[in-house]
């Protein structure tokens, strides 16, 4: 819960990861590069006073302290990412999430994982897993290593997603995961039709685990690792074919202008994780205002991307956010109703989470305090 201006807001963090990027789990030079880049971006965004080992490997202690304690979060949605070619035991697999959820009951909602590039055989057994783990969503991402673009146009993918939605996993996340991208307004938009170059593939004989050593080779660790993209045309066809599925896109997966164009599809939502660390900048004001105008407050979700960024600061800054004076009339009103929807109400509706209602804080005056801008 977070209390401000006499109101108490339930908080649902729609993007939390339980990952292990520590050296013993790095399977190849690219695994070390990925882990180093995560630590570098964490220092850029939220590095003050956090020991590196707490970022490399998430523990029950750090979750309780940073997310459910100081982070004001009531419930969290766990997003899995295996990256099996980069990490020996997987980076952030569903099984770890389910184990942590068992230790900390009534805290988490679980999402599953599906690699569109793995073909239909890679989706076998997914529907039973939805029922077994009570999955509320699926994350579309590559199981191996980030290599290019997600293929969203295959007919089998629509069939699998429809079956999983019928089984209970009716929220699909695309472009939502551990990202080392810069904020959308800080990177140039690629030319139309440009194809991301595939990173070099490490020969099997050079991979430390295959070569008999668990020590990663320090090569190419300075490279910034970016997650894969997707074709917006294929995505639009997929979303139109599955109106019963709610799609959640990362705020940084596309340039803001292109992302706002997808708002015409009523089953498309956006999680704000990748832009929230810059709430004090003009870039954030324009990006957030554009998303708020395009999608409305009822289709935006709060997310921290923890452990990349601890949620407490993001909750406080978003709840108390005001548009700069010259932009107040340009964008929709950011009032208490919008704050309540984005901080927790929308995610609770999408993921079927029962949350207590917002109530006045003890000792404070009754009613909401409106904040224009």
């Amino acid at each position: 819960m977070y209390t401000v201006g006499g109101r108490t807001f339930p908080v649902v963090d729609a993007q939390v990861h339980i990952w292990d990027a520590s050296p013993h789990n790095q399977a190849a030079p690219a695994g070390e590069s990925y882990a180093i880049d995560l630590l570098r971006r964490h220092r850029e965004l939220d590095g003050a006073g956090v020991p590196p080992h707490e970022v490399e490997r998430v523990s029950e202690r750090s979750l309780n302290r940073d997310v459910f304690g100081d982070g004001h979060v009531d419930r969290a949605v766990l997003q899995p990412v295996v990256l099996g070619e980069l990490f020996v035991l997987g980076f952030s697999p569903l099984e770890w999430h389910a184990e942590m959820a068992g230790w900390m009951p009534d805290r988490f909602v679980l999402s599953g994982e599906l690699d569109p590039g793995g073909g239909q055989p890679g989706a076998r057994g997914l529907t039973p897993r939805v029922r077994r783990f009570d999955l509320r969503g699926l994350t579309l991402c590559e199981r191996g290593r980030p290599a290019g673009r997600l293929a969203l146009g295959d007919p089998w993918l629509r069939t699998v997603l429809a079956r999983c939605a019928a089984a209970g996993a009716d929220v699909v996340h695309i472009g939502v995961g551990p990202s080392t991208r810069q904020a959308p307004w800080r990177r140039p938009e690629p030319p139309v039709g440009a194809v991301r170059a595939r990173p070099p593939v490490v020969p099997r004989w050079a991979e430390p685990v295959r070569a008999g050593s668990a020590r990663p080779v320090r090569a190419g660790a300075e490279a910034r690792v970016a997650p894969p993209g997707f074709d917006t045309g294929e995505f639009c066809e997929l979303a139109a074919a599955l109106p019963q599925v709610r799609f959640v896109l990362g705020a940084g997966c596309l340039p803001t202008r292109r992302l706002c164009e997808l708002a015409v599809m009523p089953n498309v939502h956006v999680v704000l994780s990748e832009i929230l660390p810059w709430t004090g900048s003009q870039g954030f004001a324009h990006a957030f205002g554009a998303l708020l105008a395009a999608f409305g407050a009822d289709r935006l979700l709060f997310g921290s991307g923890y452990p990349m960024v601890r949620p407490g600061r993001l909750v406080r800054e978003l709840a108390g956010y005001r548009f700069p004076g010259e932009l107040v009339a340009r964008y929709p009103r950011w009032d208490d109703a919008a704050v309540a929807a984005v901080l927790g109400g929308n995610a609770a509706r999408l993921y079927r989470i029962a949350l207590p209602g917002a109530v006045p804080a003890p000792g404070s005056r009754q009613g909401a305090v409106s904040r224009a801008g």
Side-chain angles (χ1 to χ4, degrees):
M1 294 281 190
Y2 179 66
T3 301
V4 63
R7 289 285 303 277
T8 299
F9 301 98
V11 179
V12 178
D13 192 331
Q15 186 184 349
V16 170
H17 305 281
I18 298 175
W19 69 44
D20 184 359
S22 50
H24 77 274
N25 197 28
Q26 297 165 12
E32 182 186 32
S33 177
Y34 194 91
I36 287 175
D37 207 32
L38 287 177
L39 289 172
R40 177 172 57 193
R41 186 170 187 241
H42 169 75
R43 288 194 299 269
E44 293 172 356
L45 301 180
D46 189 29
V50 182
H53 70 271
E54 291 194 1
V55 183
E56 286 183 334
R57 189 175 189 277
V58 179
S59 66
E60 182 180 3
R61 175 178 173 273
S62 62
L63 273 171
N64 267 317
R65 181 194 63 210
D66 297 333
V67 177
F68 302 113
D70 299 339
H72 312 292
V73 174
D74 298 286
R75 299 287 292 274
V77 182
L78 294 179
Q79 307 287 355
V81 185
V82 175
L83 299 178
E85 294 180 19
L86 305 186
F87 299 95
V88 179
L89 302 175
F91 178 66
S92 181
L94 170 62
E95 288 73 16
W96 291 2
H97 293 179
E99 184 177 16
M100 189 69 76
W103 295 343
M104 304 170 66
D106 301 323
R107 287 295 195 181
F108 299 112
V109 169
L110 301 182
S111 286
E113 183 188 40
L114 176 61
D115 182 1
Q120 192 166 5
R124 290 175 182 165
L126 184 57
T127 303
R129 284 167 68 84
V130 170
R131 298 191 180 99
R132 174 188 174 190
F133 292 105
D134 187 25
L135 304 182
R136 309 290 175 86
L138 295 175
T139 301
L140 301 190
C141 57
E142 294 166 310
R143 290 186 62 86
R145 69 180 71 203
R149 303 184 75 83
L150 295 175
L152 304 179
D154 293 329
W156 68 265
L157 181 61
R158 302 180 186 182
T159 303
V160 170
L161 293 182
R163 289 175 179 171
C164 290
D170 56 354
V171 181
V172 173
H173 315 95
I174 303 178
V176 179
S179 169
T180 55
R181 279 188 280 234
Q182 295 177 337
W185 57 88
R186 293 193 171 191
R187 63 180 189 267
E189 184 172 349
V192 177
V195 178
R196 187 195 307 272
R198 295 178 66 89
V201 178
V202 180
R204 290 193 173 190
W205 57 265
E207 292 189 9
V209 171
R210 296 184 185 278
S213 171
R215 172 174 290 183
V217 179
R218 293 185 173 274
E222 73 285 352
R224 183 173 287 275
V225 183
F230 58 91
D231 182 86
T232 54
E234 290 182 350
F235 169 75
C236 289
E237 293 180 3
L238 180 66
L242 298 172
Q244 76 278 23
V245 175
R246 281 76 61 82
F247 291 88
V248 177
L249 304 180
C253 70
L254 293 171
T256 302
R257 176 184 56 80
R258 294 174 60 194
L259 189 59
C260 289
E261 293 172 355
L262 302 179
V264 297
M265 313 189 74
N267 57 335
V268 177
H269 302 68
V270 174
V271 60
L272 302 172
S273 312
E274 288 182 303
I275 67 173
L276 286 179
W278 289 279
T279 50
S281 70
Q282 282 287 115
F284 173 83
H286 286 288
F288 178 57
L291 292 172
L292 191 62
F295 289 89
D298 59 340
R299 285 197 284 159
L300 300 180
L301 308 179
F302 170 80
S304 67
Y306 181 84
M308 188 69 77
V309 183
R310 291 167 291 180
R313 172 176 67 90
L314 304 183
V315 171
R316 293 189 295 270
E317 292 180 354
L318 183 61
Y321 183 72
R322 294 176 181 270
F323 284 105
E326 66 275 16
L327 299 179
V328 169
R330 181 173 177 177
Y331 296 121
R333 185 181 179 86
W334 180 241
D335 56 15
D336 283 333
V339 172
V342 175
L343 280 184
N346 297 335
R349 170 171 47 83
L350 259 62
Y351 300 103
R352 306 188 299 278
I353 299 173
L355 288 177
V359 297
S364 65
R365 66 184 180 85
Q366 301 289 320
V369 179
S370 297
R371 291 181 298 277

